[in-house]
Amino acid sequence: SPWLSEVRVPQPGQILITFNSSAALKYTLQYCTNLAGSAWLEACVTNGNDGLLTLGHTNGAPACLYRLLVQNP
């Protein structure tokens, strides 16, 4: 599984997540604004690169939760 190298919030409503990746895997950054009733939505999807990978998302919600889904392509 990936290990988080860095999580940054460069400005309100924006997040950048950096982690170690594998070229054999696909990574999906998902977000949710309300765990009680909202579904998880895709922020971005990409293949790994056998190095550090940064995924980002911009959201205007007052609060947002994130998770990283890792799959075989």
Side-chain angles (χ1 to χ4, degrees):
S1 67
W3 52 268
L4 290 178
S5 174
E6 180 180 43
V7 177
R8 292 188 303 132
V9 179
Q11 61 187 19
Q14 184 179 37
I15 190 167
L16 297 172
I17 299 172
T18 302
F19 56 93
N20 190 27
S21 70
S22 166
L25 298 172
K26 179 174 81 171
Y27 299 88
T28 304
L29 180 63
Q30 296 180 325
Y31 70 98
C32 181
T33 57
N34 180 348
L35 287 177
S38 296
W40 287 94
L41 304 171
E42 285 187 0
C44 57
V45 179
T46 191
N47 292 321
N49 62 7
D50 282 338
L52 289 178
L53 190 62
T54 299
L55 300 180
H57 183 239
T58 301
N59 187 327
C64 200
L65 303 159
Y66 290 92
R67 69 181 181 185
L68 185 64
L69 180 63
V70 181
Q71 298 174 298
N72 288 318

